[in-house]
Every structure is written in structure tokens, then in C-alpha cells.
Amino acid sequence: MTRKMHFGLFLLGTGSHIAGWRVPGAVNTFEDIEAVRRIAATAERGLFDLIFMGDNLNADPAAHPSYTARLEPLTLLSAIAGATTHIGLGGTVSTTYSDPYTVARAFASLDHISGGRAVWNAVTTAAPAAAANFGTLHPDHSKRYEIAGEFLDVVKGLWDCWADDAIVANRETGLYIDPAKVKALDHEGEFFKVKGPLNISRAPQGHPIISQAGGSEPGQQLAARTADIVFAVVQDMAEAQAGYKSLKDRLPAFGRRPEDVTVLPGVMPVVGRTAQEAREKLAELMRFVDAKNALGMLSERFGTDMSAYDLDGPIPDLPEADTYKSFTGVMLAKAKREGGTLRDVYNMVAAARGHWVLVGSAEEVADTLQLWFESGAADGFNVMPPYFPGAFDDFVDLVIPILQQRGLFRTEYEGPTLRHLLGLERPANPNF
Amino acid sequence: MTRKMHFGLFLLGTGSHIAGWRVPGAVNTFEDIEAVRRIAATAERGLFDLIFMGDNLNADPAAHPSYTARLEPLTLLSAIAGATTHIGLGGTVSTTYSDPYTVARAFASLDHISGGRAVWNAVTTAAPAAAANFGTLHPDHSKRYEIAGEFLDVVKGLWDCWADDAIVANRETGLYIDPAKVKALDHEGEFFKVKGPLNISRAPQGHPIISQAGGSEPGQQLAARTADIVFAVVQDMAEAQAGYKSLKDRLPAFGRRPEDVTVLPGVMPVVGRTAQEAREKLAELMRFVDAKNALGMLSERFGTDMSAYDLDGPIPDLPEADTYKSFTGVMLAKAKREGGTLRDVYNMVAAARGHWVLVGSAEEVADTLQLWFESGAADGFNVMPPYFPGAFDDFVDLVIPILQQRGLFRTEYEGPTLRHLLGLERPANPNF
């Protein structure tokens, strides 16, 4: 079988561009579930592999309108499960501010509800402000990843407490559950003590799919050991190739094959019928950016008060950030490399929060995606439309058909579960 | 306006009767969302006020098949939101094993998703086994209620962090959120420290509806102070009247009126076209009960090892239970009063987990419900069908029309939000 691209749709509230909601005709809230359902239908029309909800655990008006007012991922994804049939449903939930029993259960439930389409995007939560909403202190970066590793082990262990055939439901004998087919977990680790078993049967996918986005060293190690999908933050192809290789090279040490992890760099496509039209669309978007909260937004991303710095001066030497390590590293490197200013960094953040912006005609965009896909830079892409629905419609209606004509993308769903779309085996249960 | 009854549908997995799933044609799992959607549609056809999901935080095969394998409430309710239009969606979430920020956010999200139909059934979690899944110790009864009181205050406070008109989304000026219309909570209490604001705007209902079921003294005090709906466990009308009066009498001390709280005793209706047919249906149900796990089930309910006792001997003097205080008190009192045995208690638990079982023709059932409603025993009922769909269809198709003919129940939804159905005002926001 020819290798095919995979596509995720990144659902960040009003769109990835900070001012996308200002475009005439754009959706200007993501608290409207009908708008989300229509977008999900478009993603499924485009035969996307998954929809993926970002998340934050604090309100932060300086960062992005959607960080402050948006629907909670698990309720949102459950609500669109019934309005979709094949697409994966990915939700961000933090390993720092949740309980593994609750998380294991919720994603198993979503997997049952959706017929095998649940994705847990496991994050450690970068923003320290979350801690104040949970009455605790924000663990440092390396501690967060230690917690995350054990958290993931507990969740996967809970997903294996039930044999696939544990529910007997024999009306004659009255046996509902075969007690020999349900086992406790009895986990006692450094951070968690969880007895189990889980109070829901094994999920249709065995394990719901795990996605991650950590680009730091511990983030990559964790992803190599535990993730099925990795989202990457990149600004150019060489960077993407290096990240792709770095991740794939780590897999054998964990007994895994390159094809076991799907690497999806994030891309904000701005697609026009011509290259000129695409550039005009981006210019219109940037016109809506309000510079007055620029330093506040940079402060949030960098975890450092940026108000002392000149937006139009050279890039200062900043202390290493404990938050958004990969985002800040990628953005600062690019700006320094190109002799840019803090304003350039801000514009990158405002446009796509540090992700790659790809502007061009549909042919040009398809060419570039193909080049990356065939150059060891990507297994597909996490599409981050600047606004909805127009910018996403453009991608689905103009770019996807070109990729299909070139044999690079599916023309129908392989279904029924997301594992079928990703070409991943259903994991065996080591307990039974 | 004439006072009307209110109806909740209690969704306990395969049905409230422990062996209801064995009835030919009965739904025998609640991990099948399509079955739940069909039941929700029936409840809405019957113009019910709400569907209400019970919950446990541990797997317990001895107790009830549904305690061990069922969908998680918030994902389930979100999944049926799109398949329903008016009915309230009630989910049980524990104040002992959750974070208030997470809970406030999830129910606000469900309220947005459902257009104002979210209900949080706040419980303190009776079963000590839950603690082992969360790496902690189970707080005692009074401590659980202290925590619950503060938890509810925090959640309601978070729901008031946003003015109703905080989202401006002005495309011209670029102002998305009016910062003067969003306030932090800055809660610092005995158990929780929560800064806020919440990262979702104010819910369509202002506050989602709060339901509770605690029958103990602290449970009743908490309900009188914070609940909109109270579910009651009763076995006869005198008990129901006493509980109803006790709760309503507590309201003025909290500045509330009797009509601010809807009291719904639980009832398992077994309805026949004739009284004889109804009795035969109950006999068939009880024939399916498997006595061999009786003592295990009683042990779970009473929080005491019951294996030393004779199922057919007199009711022993038991130490006061720390779990399910109102359930055990009601059941033991009834059995002692009637000279019953532990087996009788078990049968009550097996049939309806201690709730009232009402057997009769549709006319008889309607008569009894009317009598309770008009005798200060109930504002309506929480209907707990022994199995689905048949036993629930009987109630909707045979009993509801009689109550409508008598002018005791609505003939169309008052909508659009659950507050309209319950006749409750949308709470003002004290912060703005």
C-alpha cells in the first residue's frame, strides 16, 4: 500500500489566528456547538483523520480570545460524536491537573460513545497560571514530565483491566460480568496510587489513541514511549526533518517501529485561488492584529515579563523559558536567524501561535505539503485554519482534491475506528 | 397557574432492578449510546423534566451490573444533548473526588452545548472503595459534607465570574472580551484555593441546575442551602411527607421559598394494563434475582461485613453506617417495622436499591402519584424503571396521559431552558 498523508484539524476556538474572528463572515465564538458541528462535518467531508481540541486551564484574555472562553474538550467532543461517523475526536487533558482514573474513564467512555474514535492529547500544561485554579503550585518542567510518564502508565494500565470479552450478559445464567476477566491494577508509584479496575469495559480501540506535542527532550522521550500521534511545532522543513528523525530514531529503544507514530507538524494554511489572492488574505488577517496586547501575549508565551523590551528592537537574550519550551525556541531561533525583532515574533505568535504559516495557491500549498511528506519531514499535517469556516473550507475544497488526485490522500474512509485510519493495530491485552 | 408535577428519569445503566437486564427484550448494557439515545427520546416524548445519570467511582460487581460497567455521565449527557431539544441533562459528579474548577467548567460547557439544560447532581460519594482509585483516604461523612459545602460555593462563584454580556466580539474595534466584565474569584477557604476566573462564559441558565440526594442531617442542610432539585429515598407516604416538610421548612433560614426546591422521591413503577398484570411483571422480575450475592450487596450498602448474619433471620442491630445513611435507615426501619428479614431488605435493594416500588394498573399508579403530589409528599417523581425500554415505555405511554388528562402534568414543553420547565428564575449575577 502506498503511504498516504494524515490530516488533523486543530480546533482552537475562533481559529488559530488571534484576530481570525474579525474576518467578515467568520465564526466569532466557539461556545456555539452548532458552529462546531458544521466544522466537524466539513472535516469529515475532507476525510480528515481527526479533529483535535487544544485546551488551557485558566482564562487569559491577553493570549488568544479562545483561551479565555471556550467549551471544555470532552463535553464538546462527545457532543459532536453523534453528528459524525468516522473522524477521530481528540481532546487535550492535562496530566498535571487531573486524576488518572477520571481521565482513563472519560476517554474510554468517549471511545465507546464514538465507536472507537477517541484521542487523548496528553499535555503537562505549560501555563503556570493554571496552578492557582487548582490550589496548588505549578511543578517545574522536568517534574511535570515525570508525573506525565507515570500518569500515562496508569491510564494505559486501567484500559487493560478488562478483557475484551468480560461482559457476558447471559440472560439464562444471570452472569453479567465474568469476574475472572476483570482485574485490579494495584498501581503504587511515586505520584499515583490507583487500585482499579476501571468502571467501564475495554474500549473499542483497546486503547484510545494517545497524541502529544512536547518538543523538549523529556517530551520527545515520553512521546517515543507512549504516543501514537505527535504534533510538532516547526517553522521550516529542515527543522521539521530534524524533529521527525529525532522522534523516529527514538522508537526502536522502546520496541516500536517508525510507522507506529504519526508525526503531524502544525501548519496554518492561507490558500487562495492564486498566490496573489492568498497573500492578500494573509495581509487582511494581519491588518486585524491589535498590537497593544503584544507584549502581554509574548510574556504569556515566554513566561517572562516582556514589558521592559522594545517591540521593534533586536531580540533580547532571554532566560530559558520553563513554559512552551519548543514554541519559544523555534520562534526565537527563526527571528534571530533572520535578523527579526520582537514584533516579528509577536506577528508569528498572533498568526499561528508560533506554527508554520503556509501561504499560496492551492497548487503551491499542495506542492509544499507533498515535498515535506516525501522528504522525511512529516507523515501528514495538523491543519490550523486562521479562522472558520472560510479558511478551512478553502483547504478542504481546494487543496485536498489535489492531494487525492496525486494519490497522496485517501478518497474514502477506511473505518470503522480511528486505528483503521492511522493503520495501527488494536493493542493486545497483556492481562488476559 | 395550577401546580404541575415534575418528572425525572433515573438512568442507572441497565435499569434500577438488579436483574432487569435479564427480561426478554431488555437493554442489557448501557455502554451502547444508541440505546441511551432511544431512551432519551422516549423521555422527551413523555415531556419529562430531566434525565439523570447516577454514578460511582469504583467497579463493584457485587452491587449492580451497572455500577461496574457504564458510560461516564458528562460524556454521555453531552452525547445525547444533540439528540434532544428540551429535556434536562443531569450528571452525578463527586465533590470528594473532583476539582471545583473542572466541575464548574464541565457543567457550564454542557449548559452551553445543550442550550441551558445542564444539571449537576452533587454527591459526596458514599462508597469508601472510591478512595483507592484516587490514592487517598475516604473522608468521613461529616467531613465529606463540609468539603461539599465549600465545593458548591466555589463552583457557584466560578459561574458568576463572567457578566452575561462580557463577550463583545466587536469586529470593528477588535474587542473580544470586555475586561471589566470578567472578575477573578479569589477564593481561599478551608479545603480549596481557587483564583479564577473560569475559562468559559456565563452559562445560558446563569447557573446550571443543582440536584442532590442526601437525606442525612448535613445532607438536608446542604440541599436547603444550595440545591434546586432534591431526590428522596422513601418507602411510604408518611415518610415522604416528613422528609418533604423537613426540607421545605429549612428553606426560609436560607432566604429561599418552598417553590425554589423541587422535591422528587424516587419510585420504581411496575405498570400493567391491569393490577394483576403489574403484579405478574414484578414477580417475573424478582424471579431473576440471584440470591447468592445478596450478602455481598448488603455489605456494600451497609458498609459492614454482613456474611456473619443469617439472610432469613431477624434484622440484626447494626452499627450506624457511614455510607448511604438515608438508604440504610429507610430500609432497616421498614423491615423492622414489618417484622421482615435481611432477605426482605435484600429484595428491596435488588428491586430498586431501597427506593419505593409502586405496582399497579396505570390508573392505580396515577392515583397514588396524584395522592402523594397533593398530600405534601412530593413535587413530582424521579422515575426509576426496573429495565429499559419496556418498563419505561409503559410509564410514558400508560401513566403520563392519565396525569395529563387530570391536568397534573404538562402537555407541551415550556422551554427553552430547564429553568423554564422547573419554574425557576435565572439567577442574577451579584458581581455585575
Side-chain angles (χ1 to χ4, degrees):
Chain A
M1 200 179 78
T2 328
R3 181 170 164 259
K4 305 271 191 196
M5 284 185 185
H6 298 280
F7 280 108
L9 168 64
F10 184 69
L11 213 57
L12 179 73
T14 51
S16 273
H17 191 283
I18 195 170
W21 61 274
R22 295 180 68 182
V23 174
V27 170
N28 69 353
T29 169
F30 256 48
E31 297 182 336
D32 171 3
I33 192 69
E34 288 310 323
V36 183
R37 287 204 183 98
R38 285 192 295 272
I39 290 161
T42 303
E44 204 155 56
R45 177 162 59 79
L47 302 175
F48 270 50
D49 294 72
L50 73 154
I51 296 169
F52 156 58
M53 272 286 284
D55 200 36
N56 275 56
L57 295 176
N58 62 298
D60 187 353
H64 189 292
S66 302
Y67 281 22
T68 295
R70 61 172 155 197
L71 298 172
E72 182 278 333
L74 279 159
T75 43
L76 178 144
L77 295 168
S78 301
I80 61 178
T84 52
T85 56
H86 287 82
I87 200 162
L89 303 169
T92 298
V93 176
S94 170
T95 54
T96 305
Y97 297 104
S98 311
D99 283 299
Y101 196 85
T102 304
V103 171
R105 186 185 182 209
F107 281 97
S109 188
L110 178 61
D111 209 49
H112 279 284
I113 284 169
S114 63
R117 298 188 280 135
V119 182
W120 171 31
N121 184 50
V123 301
T124 66
T125 301
N133 291 328
F134 291 84
T136 182
L137 296 174
H138 194 56
D140 68 23
H141 188 272
S142 77
K143 179 68 76 182
R144 292 204 305 275
Y145 273 93
E146 287 173 41
I147 295 169
E150 188 180 329
F151 195 115
L152 274 148
D153 292 340
V154 171
V155 167
K156 290 190 175 194
L158 287 168
W159 284 337
D160 285 337
C161 285
W162 290 65
D164 285 314
D165 56 354
I167 295 190
V168 179
N170 185 320
R171 293 187 205 267
E172 295 308 311
T173 64
L175 187 70
Y176 188 77
I177 293 160
D178 181 347
K181 300 271 176 81
V182 184
K183 283 191 178 164
L185 177 66
D186 289 324
H187 173 89
E188 296 198 21
E190 188 180 346
F191 303 104
F192 301 105
K193 194 173 162 188
V194 182
K195 186 167 170 54
L198 201 58
N199 54 355
I200 184 167
S201 67
R202 199 157 190 256
Q205 293 190 97
H207 295 180
I209 295 296
I210 304 282
S211 69
Q212 286 168 42
S216 65
E217 176 62 28
Q220 285 197 64
Q221 281 297 100
L222 182 66
R225 183 167 76 80
T226 63
D228 305 300
I229 296 174
V230 170
F231 302 119
V233 185
V234 293
Q235 282 287 347
D236 63 37
M237 192 169 83
E239 221 169 50
Q241 286 168 319
Y244 185 93
K245 183 170 187 309
S246 170
L247 195 280
K248 299 270 180 173
D249 283 352
R250 292 166 196 261
L251 297 174
F254 298 106
R256 308 182 73 196
R257 302 166 306 167
E259 60 267 36
D260 290 342
V261 180
T262 301
V263 176
L264 305 179
V267 58
M268 191 184 98
V270 181
V271 183
R273 273 153 226 280
T274 64
Q276 176 64 19
E277 187 187 273
R279 282 193 298 273
E280 286 166 7
K281 284 184 180 180
L282 181 63
E284 190 195 9
L285 272 168
M286 295 316 290
R287 191 173 59 79
F288 287 124
V289 172
D290 180 355
K292 75 169 182 281
N293 56 3
L295 288 168
M297 188 162 167
L298 290 177
S299 302
E300 185 266 343
R301 278 279 134 174
F302 291 175
T304 299
D305 179 7
M306 301 293 288
S307 59
Y309 300 108
D310 179 2
L311 257 188
D312 295 307
I315 303 289
D317 284 322
L318 295 167
E320 198 197 358
D322 192 60
T323 63
Y324 303 106
K325 273 183 191 287
S326 55
F327 275 78
T328 51
V330 164
M331 288 185 293
L332 289 175
K334 181 181 160 89
K336 285 195 171 175
R337 200 163 59 223
E338 301 176 357
T341 63
L342 271 184
R343 188 180 300 280
D344 296 318
V345 177
Y346 170 69
N347 279 332
M348 279 193 279
V349 174
R353 300 174 313 115
H355 283 278
W356 174 39
V357 179
L358 176 55
V359 185
S361 70
E363 286 285 342
E364 287 169 343
V365 168
D367 289 347
T368 305
L369 297 181
Q370 178 170 0
L371 177 66
W372 283 43
F373 179 65
E374 292 176 345
S375 306
D379 295 317
F381 301 91
N382 195 27
V383 176
M384 314 182 124
Y387 61 91
F388 292 96
F392 184 45
D393 288 344
D394 288 346
F395 188 85
V396 166
D397 296 333
L398 303 177
V399 179
I400 289 286
I402 297 172
L403 298 172
Q404 288 171 324
Q405 282 154 22
R406 297 181 188 176
L408 293 165
F409 190 57
R410 69 170 64 87
T411 54
E412 61 182 2
Y413 274 124
E414 300 90 356
T417 78
L418 178 57
R419 287 190 175 272
H420 294 89
L421 305 192
L422 296 172
L424 295 174
E425 296 289 319
R426 189 170 185 277
N429 191 330
N431 293 325
F432 301 97
Chain B
M1 199 181 75
T2 327
R3 181 171 164 256
K4 305 270 191 197
M5 284 185 185
H6 299 280
F7 279 108
L9 167 64
F10 184 69
L11 213 58
L12 179 72
T14 52
S16 274
H17 190 283
I18 194 170
W21 61 274
R22 296 180 67 182
V23 173
V27 170
N28 69 353
T29 169
F30 256 47
E31 296 182 336
D32 171 4
I33 192 69
E34 287 310 322
V36 182
R37 287 203 183 99
R38 286 192 294 272
I39 290 161
T42 303
E44 203 154 57
R45 177 162 58 79
L47 301 176
F48 271 49
D49 294 71
L50 74 153
I51 296 171
F52 157 56
M53 273 286 285
D55 198 37
N56 277 55
L57 295 176
N58 62 300
D60 187 353
H64 188 292
S66 301
Y67 281 22
T68 295
R70 62 172 153 197
L71 299 172
E72 181 277 333
L74 278 159
T75 44
L76 178 145
L77 294 169
S78 301
I80 60 177
T84 52
T85 56
H86 287 82
I87 199 162
L89 303 169
T92 298
V93 175
S94 171
T95 53
T96 305
Y97 297 105
S98 311
D99 283 298
Y101 196 86
T102 304
V103 171
R105 184 183 184 211
F107 281 97
S109 188
L110 178 61
D111 209 50
H112 279 284
I113 284 169
S114 63
R117 298 188 280 133
V119 182
W120 172 30
N121 185 49
V123 302
T124 66
T125 301
N133 291 329
F134 292 84
T136 182
L137 296 174
H138 194 57
D140 69 22
H141 188 272
S142 77
K143 179 69 75 183
R144 291 204 304 276
Y145 274 93
E146 287 173 41
I147 295 169
E150 189 180 328
F151 195 117
L152 274 148
D153 292 339
V154 172
V155 167
K156 291 189 175 196
L158 286 168
W159 285 337
D160 285 336
C161 286
W162 290 64
D164 285 313
D165 56 354
I167 295 190
V168 178
N170 186 320
R171 293 185 205 267
E172 295 308 311
T173 64
L175 186 69
Y176 189 76
I177 293 160
D178 181 347
K181 299 274 176 80
V182 184
K183 282 192 178 163
L185 177 66
D186 288 324
H187 173 88
E188 295 199 22
E190 188 179 348
F191 304 104
F192 302 104
K193 193 173 162 188
V194 182
K195 185 166 172 53
L198 201 58
N199 55 355
I200 183 168
S201 68
R202 199 159 190 254
Q205 294 190 96
H207 295 181
I209 296 294
I210 305 280
S211 68
Q212 287 170 40
S216 66
E217 177 61 27
Q220 285 196 62
Q221 281 297 101
L222 183 65
R225 183 168 76 82
T226 64
D228 304 300
I229 296 174
V230 169
F231 301 120
V233 185
V234 293
Q235 281 289 345
D236 64 36
M237 192 169 84
E239 223 168 50
Q241 286 168 319
Y244 185 93
K245 184 171 186 306
S246 170
L247 195 280
K248 299 269 180 172
D249 284 351
R250 292 167 195 262
L251 297 175
F254 298 106
R256 307 181 74 196
R257 302 164 307 168
E259 59 268 34
D260 290 342
V261 180
T262 301
V263 176
L264 304 179
V267 58
M268 191 185 96
V270 181
V271 183
R273 272 152 225 281
T274 64
Q276 176 63 22
E277 188 188 272
R279 283 192 297 273
E280 286 166 8
K281 284 184 179 180
L282 181 62
E284 191 196 9
L285 270 170
M286 294 315 291
R287 189 172 61 76
F288 287 124
V289 172
D290 181 354
K292 73 169 183 278
N293 56 4
L295 289 169
M297 187 162 167
L298 290 177
S299 302
E300 184 265 344
R301 278 279 133 174
F302 291 174
T304 300
D305 180 8
M306 301 294 289
S307 59
Y309 300 107
D310 179 3
L311 255 189
D312 295 307
I315 303 290
D317 284 322
L318 295 167
E320 199 198 357
D322 192 60
T323 62
Y324 302 107
K325 273 183 191 287
S326 56
F327 276 78
T328 51
V330 164
M331 287 186 292
L332 290 173
K334 180 182 160 92
K336 283 194 171 175
R337 198 164 62 223
E338 299 176 358
T341 65
L342 272 183
R343 187 181 300 279
D344 295 319
V345 176
Y346 170 68
N347 279 333
M348 278 193 279
V349 174
R353 300 174 312 117
H355 282 277
W356 175 38
V357 180
L358 176 56
V359 186
S361 68
E363 286 285 343
E364 287 169 344
V365 167
D367 289 348
T368 305
L369 297 182
Q370 179 171 359
L371 178 65
W372 283 44
F373 178 66
E374 293 176 345
S375 305
D379 295 316
F381 301 91
N382 195 25
V383 176
M384 313 180 124
Y387 61 92
F388 291 96
F392 184 46
D393 288 343
D394 288 346
F395 188 85
V396 167
D397 296 332
L398 304 177
V399 179
I400 289 288
I402 296 171
L403 297 172
Q404 288 171 323
Q405 283 154 22
R406 296 181 187 176
L408 294 166
F409 189 56
R410 70 172 62 88
T411 53
E412 60 182 1
Y413 274 124
E414 300 90 354
T417 78
L418 178 57
R419 288 191 174 270
H420 293 89
L421 305 191
L422 296 172
L424 295 174
E425 296 290 319
R426 189 169 186 277
N429 192 330
N431 292 326
F432 301 97

